[in-house]
């Protein structure tokens, strides 16, 4: 008798894996992944807002708080309400700093933007040789140290041996003490600000010029428009949003001019013996860190902040009006 081996049974079908291994059902995993995808963009921008909250928002709110106190860093703090603002608006030094700030802003911003627009038009010319080299040189003033720039320009505007006075003497003009005269000191500070920012604005205008379609210029040329008319009827309208942007940004920067007058008035903080070129930022620094009146200095900072907000609102309204016109 022969014994045959029992037939091998077919392998039993495997049971689907249990969802208990991951703890989530498939539909729940899909929902979880969708939520993560929706949340990811906020995680990317979260570091910026975290740093802004620490180094931007908190100091701003704390400045508003300190402005309501008679705050001595090595003494006591007494709540005085709006007295700092009442004292500030009756302080002639504040209005003098306000006048200096707006004078320097106008003298630096208007020539700066006109020069930047002119240079951008030149750099956009297709017949210009070594165009990339000239475009790169526009960044040199921007990357140069402000201290080095101030030292060089202070020597150029020197009363006795300055190059500017030597040039004026050739035409019979007597030497000018730029640091002592109010308007001349504003020209000196404005020149430094102009030098530092004109290259930056030139590159912004140049980028905007290169984005204008060439077809518009060709159509204008066919209609008989020369270079002069093309500039005023094609280029300027096309650059209008960019021009407004640079005006507002330059205005905000011009209201905060600080380093140049500080270095020129060193070791003092008054912007000259008669406060002839003391700006609002320098006046705030003098009261806060020179006289240790943190509450009064904070009131100046709050006022400066309000001025910047006003100009930002003007920027928003102008941009909105331009967009609606287009």
């Amino acid at each position: 008798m022969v014994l045959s081996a029992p037939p091998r049974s077919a392998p039993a079908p495997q049971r689907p894996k249990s969802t208990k291994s991951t703890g989530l059902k498939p539909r729940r995993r899909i929902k979880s992944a969708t939520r993560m995808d929706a949340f990811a963009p906020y995680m990317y921008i979260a570091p910026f807002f975290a740093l802004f909250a620490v180094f931007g928002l908190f100091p701003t709110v704390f400045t508003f708080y300190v402005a309501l106190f008679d705050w001595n860093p090595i003494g006591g703090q007494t709540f005085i309400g709006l007295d700092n603002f009442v004292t500030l608006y009756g302080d002639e030094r504040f209005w003098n700093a306000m006048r200096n700030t707006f004078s320097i802003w106008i003298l630096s911003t208007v020539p700066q933007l006109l020069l930047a627009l002119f240079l951008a038009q030149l750099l956009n010319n297709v017949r210009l040789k070594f165009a990339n080299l000239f475009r790169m040189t526009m960044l040199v003033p921007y990357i140069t140290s402000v201290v080095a720039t101030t030292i060089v320009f202070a020597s150029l505007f020197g009363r006795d041996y300055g190059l500017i006075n030597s040039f004026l003497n050739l035409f019979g003009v007597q030497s000018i003490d730029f640091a002592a005269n109010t308007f001349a000191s504003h020209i000196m500070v404005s020149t430094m600000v102009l030098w530092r920012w004109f290259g930056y604005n030139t590159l912004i205008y140049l980028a905007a010029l290169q984005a204008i379609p060439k077809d518009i210029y060709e159509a204008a040329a066919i209609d008989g428009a020369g270079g002069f008319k093309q500039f005023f009827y094609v280029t300027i309208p096309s650059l209008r949003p960019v021009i407004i942007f640079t005006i507002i940004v330059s205005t905000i920067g011009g209201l905060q001019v600080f380093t140049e007058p500080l270095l020129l008035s060193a070791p003092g903080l008054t912007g000259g013996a008669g406060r002839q070129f003391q700006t609002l930022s320098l006046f705030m620094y003098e009261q806060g860190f020179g006289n240790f009146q943190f509450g009064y200095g904070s009131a100046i900072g709050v006022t400066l902040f309000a001025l910047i907000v006003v100009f930002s609102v003007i920027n928003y309204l102008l941009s909105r009006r331009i967009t609606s016109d287009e």
Side-chain angles (χ1 to χ4, degrees):
M1 182 177 181
V2 179
L3 298 177
S4 59
R8 299 180 60 182
S9 61
Q14 295 182 354
R15 297 179 61 185
K17 292 183 179 180
S18 174
T19 56
K20 293 182 178 178
S21 59
T22 59
L24 293 174
K25 294 181 178 179
R27 183 176 298 176
R28 186 175 298 176
R29 285 204 300 271
I30 293 174
K31 288 184 177 178
S32 178
T34 305
R35 289 174 185 169
M36 290 299 295
D37 291 343
F39 193 65
Y42 298 100
M43 295 297 293
Y44 288 129
I45 62 176
F48 165 76
F49 285 101
L51 291 175
F52 173 75
V54 174
F55 298 104
L57 183 60
F58 172 73
T60 302
V61 175
F62 191 67
T63 300
F64 277 81
Y65 175 75
V66 175
L68 303 177
F69 286 80
D70 181 9
W71 191 293
N72 190 328
I74 56 176
Q77 294 89 37
T78 306
F79 180 78
I80 57 174
L82 299 177
D83 286 357
N84 280 327
F85 294 95
V86 175
T87 305
L88 177 66
Y89 300 143
D91 191 345
E92 178 56 31
R93 298 174 300 174
F94 166 72
W95 295 110
N96 174 69
M98 180 81 79
R99 289 192 295 269
N100 293 339
T101 301
F102 277 92
S103 174
I104 292 172
W105 162 58
I106 293 173
L107 290 174
S108 62
T109 300
V110 176
Q112 175 193 149
L113 297 182
L114 291 177
L115 178 63
L117 188 59
F118 174 74
L119 290 176
Q121 186 70 14
L122 288 180
L123 293 175
N124 194 43
N125 195 319
V126 295
R127 290 176 293 182
L128 178 66
K129 295 182 179 179
F130 308 109
N132 289 333
L133 175 63
F134 289 116
R135 292 168 185 172
M136 289 174 59
T137 58
M138 292 295 104
L139 286 174
V140 173
Y142 184 68
I143 62 177
T144 304
S145 168
V146 181
V147 177
T149 301
T150 305
I151 292 173
V152 170
F153 276 89
S155 300
L156 290 175
F157 284 96
R159 183 190 60 184
D160 299 323
Y161 306 104
L163 186 62
I164 304 298
N165 274 323
S166 299
F167 179 76
L168 293 176
N169 292 337
L170 296 176
F171 300 94
V173 179
Q174 294 183 350
S175 297
I176 301 173
D177 191 352
F178 284 93
N181 184 274
T182 299
F183 184 69
S185 65
H186 293 182
I187 292 177
M188 181 169 57
V189 176
S190 301
T191 306
M192 298 177 192
V193 177
L194 184 152
W195 168 259
R196 187 152 63 101
W197 291 106
F198 84 92
Y200 174 81
N201 289 312
T202 298
L203 294 181
I204 291 179
Y205 287 148
L206 179 61
L209 282 172
Q210 293 180 341
I212 300 175
K214 302 299 180 185
D215 299 345
I216 301 177
Y217 289 103
E218 293 174 0
I222 292 174
D223 290 340
F228 186 80
K229 288 187 175 180
Q230 288 181 18
F231 179 76
F232 281 99
Y233 294 104
V234 176
T235 303
I236 295 296
S238 301
L239 293 181
R240 190 169 49 181
V242 179
I243 291 174
I244 291 177
F245 168 77
T246 54
I247 289 174
I248 299 302
V249 171
S250 301
T251 299
I252 294 174
L255 293 176
Q256 301 179 73
V257 171
F258 171 74
T259 309
E260 289 86 354
L262 172 67
L263 295 174
L264 284 174
S265 63
L269 299 174
T270 58
R275 300 179 181 272
Q276 57 268 25
F277 54 89
Q278 186 184 49
T279 60
L280 279 175
S281 298
L282 185 56
F283 183 49
M284 176 181 64
Y285 185 81
E286 179 199 10
Q287 298 304 315
F289 297 96
N291 300 334
F292 298 106
Q293 296 179 352
F294 278 23
Y296 195 56
S298 298
I300 302 170
V302 170
T303 304
L304 185 58
F305 175 81
L307 285 174
I308 293 174
V309 169
V310 168
F311 280 99
S312 299
V313 171
I314 293 174
N315 178 23
Y316 171 75
L317 295 176
L318 287 175
S319 303
R320 186 177 179 182
R321 181 174 180 181
I322 290 172
T323 304
S324 61
D325 290 342
E326 292 175 349

